[in-house]
Amino acid sequence: MSGLADIGVRIVAAQDGLSGNGHALIHELDKRLERLAEQGATDAIDLRGLPLSAADLQMLEDFLGVGEIEARIDALGLTRVYETAYAGIWRVTYYSEDGKVVADVLEVTRQPGIITTPPGDVADACGRLREALGDLPPLPGRSTNNCEAS
Amino acid sequence: MNDDQTLEQALLRQGVSRRAFLKYCAALASLMAMPASAAPALAEGLAKARRPAVIWLSFQECTGCTESLTRSFYPTLETLIFNMLSLDYHETLMAAAGFQAEAAREAAMARNHGKYLLVVDGSVSTGLDGSYSTVAGHANVDTLKRAAQGAAAIVAVGTCSSFGGIPKANPNPTAARPVSDIVHDKPIINISGCPPIPEVITGVLAQYLTFGAIPELDEHRRPRIFYGNTIHDRCYRRPFYDQGKFAKTFDDEGARNGWCLYELGCKGPTTYNACATVKWNEATSFPIQSGHGCLGCSEPDFWDKGSFYKPLSTPTWSDRAPLAAGAVGGLALGVAAAAVARHRQKRITEEQ
Ligand code: SF4
Ligand code: SF4
């Protein structure tokens, strides 16, 4: 093997690794949460688009805490969604099928879009349900199993 | 996928759920540095998009750009992009060959006249009437002119087709030229880089599909969303630059400490590209993170700008805009901060 392993590498980080950007972000969240409370305006912040150090992210996570709800969505890989201790601020982390983070977002909203059932899915589901119902014996006193108009 | 299906219909048919699609759009928005709140609009636009025909021509090139494209970091991203496009002609990727391939191109051009996207990688040889580089007996320069006539827009992928690249380097024996020197009456988007970052290629194509329009371009016709900042603007070694801490050789104490590579010839301050944020090889690293300065590969004539290992001539560390200010500005003052940065970089470039 080459002598590469002999080259000592030492990365020098700022003392506590905090850049100050995490702190600035919390102020930003404060403004956006106020807008959600007063005007119902939703918003989202892409964490990967900001120069945050690992320490900044950790600080942010610790500061925001974990709230009452968590969801895992299985669609083209995992998506993890949880509400932070500050209701209305959600962390949504999207992973690829091989487990890499492809987007990491703080959403300021009452309900992240990825959890909401897409309208087209409701229409499709109604059709599928009807089809499945067709395979069951009809209820006594009814001639068909068709669900009423949705 | 047939041509009049929308993208959403086609994907559903292939078993890609609506949530998966929304997720893909969130990843795309993040990649394109769009505000995260734009993802739902992006999803809505893309879902309704109909796939445009794409004709891809390769001229004087090394196939690195196509290699790059087929290695997007997000496997499903690549699949989705290919689903979005109807790649009617690509010499490297298509199954057909010989007369059959040429016939396929002619047919696709006729069928989609005025509507197709023409993608070009490689520079165009113009010496000896273009006979340095020919395909099926036709000079590249003639093929380009003909294909450009029916194109809605042209995307030049790679520094060769954008600026001439290595074929055009001194003494330019084949009289190589960029696409923009040959075609003057069509919109041209340059995606420069040697090669360009795969996610940048797919990102630009996806953006064109979503909005059906040419993105905002810089003075070199590069999309600002990816080429709006220099490598230096987003470099994680920037705090060392600001403190005046430089590696002087590749194995000194400074290099081991991860200090700035400016004095080892880094061209980051004058190079506009997304390497420092999007990175390479599944976002693993980028040259500076791996210990080597930026070569400036996405800029015109990067090959002829002197040694890769000679520092840029103008000292810039008197200009200590702290990174944190730019970073916080990214949230609230983004536009102003970017304008200041651009002005500063422009000055450095001009002083070269
Ligand atoms: S000169 Fe190069 S290594 Fe130094 S901060 Fe700028 S881009 Fe990074
Ligand atoms: S770091 Fe510089 S030379 Fe390397 S790929 Fe990016 S723009 Fe090109």
mmCIF file of all heavy atoms in Angstrom, chain B residues 231-233 235-239 241 246 259-262 266-269 288 293-294, ligand 1:
data_model
loop_
_atom_site.group_PDB
_atom_site.id
_atom_site.type_symbol
_atom_site.label_atom_id
_atom_site.label_comp_id
_atom_site.label_asym_id
_atom_site.label_seq_id
_atom_site.Cartn_x
_atom_site.Cartn_y
_atom_site.Cartn_z
ATOM 1 N N ILE B 231 -17.660 28.881 -5.926
ATOM 2 C CA ILE B 231 -17.267 27.794 -5.031
ATOM 3 C C ILE B 231 -16.834 28.412 -3.689
ATOM 4 O O ILE B 231 -17.199 27.936 -2.613
ATOM 5 C CB ILE B 231 -16.081 27.007 -5.649
ATOM 6 C CG1 ILE B 231 -16.422 26.465 -7.032
ATOM 7 C CG2 ILE B 231 -15.605 25.908 -4.701
ATOM 8 C CD1 ILE B 231 -17.447 25.390 -7.073
ATOM 9 N N HIS B 232 -16.082 29.482 -3.787
ATOM 10 C CA HIS B 232 -15.545 30.192 -2.625
ATOM 11 C C HIS B 232 -16.660 30.720 -1.713
ATOM 12 O O HIS B 232 -16.545 30.688 -0.488
ATOM 13 C CB HIS B 232 -14.693 31.331 -3.194
ATOM 14 C CG HIS B 232 -13.971 32.167 -2.200
ATOM 15 N ND1 HIS B 232 -12.936 31.690 -1.426
ATOM 16 C CD2 HIS B 232 -14.109 33.482 -1.876
ATOM 17 C CE1 HIS B 232 -12.469 32.684 -0.668
ATOM 18 N NE2 HIS B 232 -13.167 33.773 -0.926
ATOM 19 N N ASP B 233 -17.773 31.197 -2.324
ATOM 20 C CA ASP B 233 -18.888 31.712 -1.516
ATOM 21 C C ASP B 233 -19.425 30.652 -0.569
ATOM 22 O O ASP B 233 -19.929 30.964 0.505
ATOM 23 C CB ASP B 233 -20.067 32.113 -2.431
ATOM 24 C CG ASP B 233 -19.826 33.421 -3.163
ATOM 25 O OD1 ASP B 233 -19.079 34.246 -2.625
ATOM 26 O OD2 ASP B 233 -20.376 33.595 -4.268
ATOM 27 N N CYS B 235 -17.732 27.668 0.237
ATOM 28 C CA CYS B 235 -16.705 26.702 0.639
ATOM 29 C C CYS B 235 -16.623 26.587 2.161
ATOM 30 O O CYS B 235 -16.586 27.598 2.858
ATOM 31 C CB CYS B 235 -15.357 27.130 0.083
ATOM 32 S SG CYS B 235 -14.032 26.014 0.557
ATOM 33 N N TYR B 236 -16.559 25.354 2.659
ATOM 34 C CA TYR B 236 -16.489 25.184 4.113
ATOM 35 C C TYR B 236 -15.116 25.588 4.652
ATOM 36 O O TYR B 236 -14.942 25.730 5.855
ATOM 37 C CB TYR B 236 -16.830 23.726 4.485
ATOM 38 C CG TYR B 236 -15.695 22.784 4.193
ATOM 39 C CD1 TYR B 236 -14.893 22.289 5.214
ATOM 40 C CD2 TYR B 236 -15.385 22.440 2.883
ATOM 41 C CE1 TYR B 236 -13.819 21.466 4.939
ATOM 42 C CE2 TYR B 236 -14.317 21.623 2.601
ATOM 43 C CZ TYR B 236 -13.541 21.138 3.630
ATOM 44 O OH TYR B 236 -12.464 20.345 3.359
ATOM 45 N N ARG B 237 -14.102 25.771 3.777
ATOM 46 C CA ARG B 237 -12.788 26.229 4.254
ATOM 47 C C ARG B 237 -12.727 27.748 4.341
ATOM 48 O O ARG B 237 -11.704 28.322 4.704
ATOM 49 C CB ARG B 237 -11.675 25.730 3.326
ATOM 50 C CG ARG B 237 -11.522 24.226 3.321
ATOM 51 C CD ARG B 237 -10.215 23.799 2.664
ATOM 52 N NE ARG B 237 -10.222 22.364 2.450
ATOM 53 C CZ ARG B 237 -9.164 21.568 2.617
ATOM 54 N NH1 ARG B 237 -8.006 22.081 2.988
ATOM 55 N NH2 ARG B 237 -9.261 20.271 2.411
ATOM 56 N N ARG B 238 -13.820 28.385 3.984
ATOM 57 C CA ARG B 238 -13.847 29.835 3.917
ATOM 58 C C ARG B 238 -13.460 30.524 5.236
ATOM 59 O O ARG B 238 -12.759 31.550 5.205
ATOM 60 C CB ARG B 238 -15.238 30.264 3.448
ATOM 61 C CG ARG B 238 -15.451 31.737 3.332
ATOM 62 C CD ARG B 238 -14.595 32.348 2.246
ATOM 63 N NE ARG B 238 -14.817 33.792 2.266
ATOM 64 C CZ ARG B 238 -15.808 34.385 1.623
ATOM 65 N NH1 ARG B 238 -16.626 33.677 0.876
ATOM 66 N NH2 ARG B 238 -15.978 35.683 1.709
ATOM 67 N N PRO B 239 -13.870 30.026 6.393
ATOM 68 C CA PRO B 239 -13.438 30.698 7.632
ATOM 69 C C PRO B 239 -11.915 30.807 7.724
ATOM 70 O O PRO B 239 -11.400 31.797 8.232
ATOM 71 C CB PRO B 239 -14.000 29.799 8.735
ATOM 72 C CG PRO B 239 -15.180 29.136 8.110
ATOM 73 C CD PRO B 239 -14.809 28.933 6.661
ATOM 74 N N TYR B 241 -9.844 31.034 5.163
ATOM 75 C CA TYR B 241 -9.490 32.088 4.215
ATOM 76 C C TYR B 241 -9.656 33.450 4.893
ATOM 77 O O TYR B 241 -8.784 34.311 4.828
ATOM 78 C CB TYR B 241 -10.385 31.965 2.986
ATOM 79 C CG TYR B 241 -10.246 33.078 1.974
ATOM 80 C CD1 TYR B 241 -9.381 32.962 0.902
ATOM 81 C CD2 TYR B 241 -11.004 34.240 2.104
ATOM 82 C CE1 TYR B 241 -9.254 33.978 -0.025
ATOM 83 C CE2 TYR B 241 -10.892 35.262 1.186
ATOM 84 C CZ TYR B 241 -10.019 35.132 0.122
ATOM 85 O OH TYR B 241 -9.909 36.137 -0.794
ATOM 86 N N PHE B 246 -3.556 29.649 5.432
ATOM 87 C CA PHE B 246 -3.444 28.975 4.140
ATOM 88 C C PHE B 246 -2.475 27.804 4.193
ATOM 89 O O PHE B 246 -1.423 27.902 4.824
ATOM 90 C CB PHE B 246 -2.957 29.962 3.074
ATOM 91 C CG PHE B 246 -3.868 31.137 2.902
ATOM 92 C CD1 PHE B 246 -3.565 32.361 3.481
ATOM 93 C CD2 PHE B 246 -5.058 31.015 2.200
ATOM 94 C CE1 PHE B 246 -4.420 33.446 3.341
ATOM 95 C CE2 PHE B 246 -5.911 32.093 2.058
ATOM 96 C CZ PHE B 246 -5.597 33.315 2.633
ATOM 97 N N TRP B 259 -6.728 23.852 6.157
ATOM 98 C CA TRP B 259 -6.816 25.282 5.876
ATOM 99 C C TRP B 259 -7.103 25.539 4.406
ATOM 100 O O TRP B 259 -7.085 24.633 3.566
ATOM 101 C CB TRP B 259 -5.502 25.971 6.287
ATOM 102 C CG TRP B 259 -5.349 26.045 7.784
ATOM 103 C CD1 TRP B 259 -6.262 25.652 8.728
ATOM 104 C CD2 TRP B 259 -4.208 26.518 8.514
ATOM 105 N NE1 TRP B 259 -5.772 25.863 9.989
ATOM 106 C CE2 TRP B 259 -4.514 26.394 9.890
ATOM 107 C CE3 TRP B 259 -2.978 27.043 8.135
ATOM 108 C CZ2 TRP B 259 -3.613 26.774 10.888
ATOM 109 C CZ3 TRP B 259 -2.078 27.429 9.127
ATOM 110 C CH2 TRP B 259 -2.395 27.298 10.489
ATOM 111 N N CYS B 260 -7.313 26.806 4.103
ATOM 112 C CA CYS B 260 -7.696 27.237 2.758
ATOM 113 C C CYS B 260 -6.614 26.911 1.712
ATOM 114 O O CYS B 260 -5.417 27.008 1.978
ATOM 115 C CB CYS B 260 -7.949 28.738 2.792
ATOM 116 S SG CYS B 260 -8.146 29.467 1.173
ATOM 117 N N LEU B 261 -7.034 26.530 0.511
ATOM 118 C CA LEU B 261 -6.116 26.089 -0.542
ATOM 119 C C LEU B 261 -5.798 27.187 -1.561
ATOM 120 O O LEU B 261 -5.237 26.916 -2.624
ATOM 121 C CB LEU B 261 -6.727 24.875 -1.258
ATOM 122 C CG LEU B 261 -7.008 23.690 -0.328
ATOM 123 C CD1 LEU B 261 -7.853 22.634 -1.043
ATOM 124 C CD2 LEU B 261 -5.703 23.077 0.167
ATOM 125 N N TYR B 262 -6.128 28.403 -1.207
ATOM 126 C CA TYR B 262 -5.930 29.537 -2.121
ATOM 127 C C TYR B 262 -4.503 29.599 -2.658
ATOM 128 O O TYR B 262 -4.283 29.731 -3.854
ATOM 129 C CB TYR B 262 -6.262 30.822 -1.355
ATOM 130 C CG TYR B 262 -6.185 32.077 -2.178
ATOM 131 C CD1 TYR B 262 -7.302 32.542 -2.857
ATOM 132 C CD2 TYR B 262 -5.005 32.806 -2.263
ATOM 133 C CE1 TYR B 262 -7.244 33.690 -3.611
ATOM 134 C CE2 TYR B 262 -4.937 33.956 -3.016
ATOM 135 C CZ TYR B 262 -6.055 34.400 -3.692
ATOM 136 O OH TYR B 262 -5.981 35.540 -4.433
ATOM 137 N N CYS B 266 -6.114 27.327 -5.716
ATOM 138 C CA CYS B 266 -7.573 27.145 -5.792
ATOM 139 C C CYS B 266 -8.238 28.266 -6.599
ATOM 140 O O CYS B 266 -8.001 29.443 -6.361
ATOM 141 C CB CYS B 266 -8.168 27.105 -4.387
ATOM 142 S SG CYS B 266 -9.939 26.859 -4.419
ATOM 143 N N LYS B 267 -9.072 27.883 -7.581
ATOM 144 C CA LYS B 267 -9.758 28.874 -8.411
ATOM 145 C C LYS B 267 -11.186 29.126 -7.917
ATOM 146 O O LYS B 267 -12.004 29.721 -8.615
ATOM 147 C CB LYS B 267 -9.797 28.400 -9.880
ATOM 148 C CG LYS B 267 -8.415 28.065 -10.474
ATOM 149 C CD LYS B 267 -7.536 29.297 -10.652
ATOM 150 C CE LYS B 267 -6.202 28.954 -11.298
ATOM 151 N NZ LYS B 267 -5.202 28.415 -10.352
ATOM 152 N N GLY B 268 -11.476 28.624 -6.696
ATOM 153 C CA GLY B 268 -12.817 28.796 -6.125
ATOM 154 C C GLY B 268 -13.349 30.224 -6.164
ATOM 155 O O GLY B 268 -14.518 30.441 -6.483
ATOM 156 N N PRO B 269 -12.507 31.233 -5.873
ATOM 157 C CA PRO B 269 -13.044 32.597 -5.831
ATOM 158 C C PRO B 269 -13.574 33.106 -7.165
ATOM 159 O O PRO B 269 -14.360 34.048 -7.193
ATOM 160 C CB PRO B 269 -11.848 33.431 -5.356
ATOM 161 C CG PRO B 269 -11.015 32.477 -4.556
ATOM 162 C CD PRO B 269 -11.150 31.167 -5.281
ATOM 163 N N ILE B 288 -12.276 20.288 -3.127
ATOM 164 C CA ILE B 288 -11.647 21.009 -2.020
ATOM 165 C C ILE B 288 -11.743 20.206 -0.718
ATOM 166 O O ILE B 288 -10.822 20.179 0.085
ATOM 167 C CB ILE B 288 -12.291 22.405 -1.885
ATOM 168 C CG1 ILE B 288 -11.904 23.243 -3.101
ATOM 169 C CG2 ILE B 288 -11.878 23.079 -0.585
ATOM 170 C CD1 ILE B 288 -12.718 24.500 -3.285
ATOM 171 N N GLY B 293 -7.363 22.068 -4.691
ATOM 172 C CA GLY B 293 -8.063 23.286 -5.072
ATOM 173 C C GLY B 293 -8.986 23.068 -6.255
ATOM 174 O O GLY B 293 -8.876 22.084 -6.980
ATOM 175 N N CYS B 294 -9.894 24.014 -6.432
ATOM 176 C CA CYS B 294 -10.797 24.006 -7.591
ATOM 177 C C CYS B 294 -9.990 24.374 -8.842
ATOM 178 O O CYS B 294 -9.138 25.258 -8.795
ATOM 179 C CB CYS B 294 -11.898 25.026 -7.329
ATOM 180 S SG CYS B 294 -12.887 25.460 -8.753
HETATM 181 S S1 SF4 C 1 -9.831 29.817 -1.913
HETATM 182 FE FE1 SF4 C 1 -10.636 27.761 -2.372
HETATM 183 S S2 SF4 C 1 -10.230 26.527 -0.513
HETATM 184 FE FE2 SF4 C 1 -9.999 28.705 0.044
HETATM 185 S S3 SF4 C 1 -12.005 29.257 0.843
HETATM 186 FE FE3 SF4 C 1 -11.993 29.826 -1.337
HETATM 187 S S4 SF4 C 1 -12.836 28.070 -2.415
HETATM 188 FE FE4 SF4 C 1 -12.301 27.365 -0.352
#
